[in-house]
Amino acid sequence: MYLILFTGAPASGKSSIASVLSEELGIDMVSKDALKIELFEKYGFNSHEEKKKLSMRSEDRMYEVISAHIKDDKSLIVDNNPELFTAV
C-alpha cells in the first residue's frame, strides 16, 4: 500500500501531477478541492459561515476516504494544501 501526499502552495500544479500519476499508476486519488466543488454544486452556500462549514465537511470527507483506504490496505494519492497535514 502506498499513501502519496501532494502538498504545496495553491496553483503550484499539485492537482495536475496527482491526477496524471493516479491515472498512470491506477491508484485512487482524493482532493479536498474536488470534494469542496462537489459539496458546493450539491448544496451551495449563502454566507461566509456556510462556506466555512462546507470546507470543514470536505476536510472530514477527505479524512474518511484516507482512513478507509488505509483500513482496506489500498493505495491512495492525496492532494491538498499544507495545513491539512499539520493536524494528522
Side-chain angles (χ1 to χ4, degrees):
M1 180 198 98
Y2 296 99
L3 183 60
I4 303 170
L5 310 174
F6 281 90
T7 184
S12 61
K14 298 179 302 293
S15 297
S16 298
I17 294 170
S19 180
V20 169
L21 191 60
S22 172
E23 286 185 35
E24 289 287 322
L25 298 178
I27 296 174
D28 292 342
M29 178 184 137
V30 65
S31 166
K32 182 181 173 192
D33 287 342
L35 293 170
K36 281 170 66 174
I37 289 168
E38 284 178 29
L39 289 172
F40 172 75
E41 288 176 349
K42 186 172 182 177
Y43 301 108
F45 60 85
N46 296 310
S47 68
H48 182 66
E49 188 61 33
E50 288 179 0
K51 182 179 178 183
K52 284 177 21 181
K53 286 181 182 179
L54 192 87
S55 182
M56 289 171 41
R57 180 59 190 125
S58 62
E59 241 178 64
D60 291 344
R61 181 66 188 124
M62 181 150 35
Y63 284 126
E64 292 167 5
V65 171
I66 293 168
S67 295
H69 275 73
I70 291 171
K71 180 182 174 234
D72 294 340
D73 198 33
K74 289 180 60 183
S75 295
L76 181 67
I77 296 173
V78 179
D79 163 31
N80 200 337
N81 295 326
E83 67 272 4
L84 170 71
F85 302 111
T86 60
V88 175

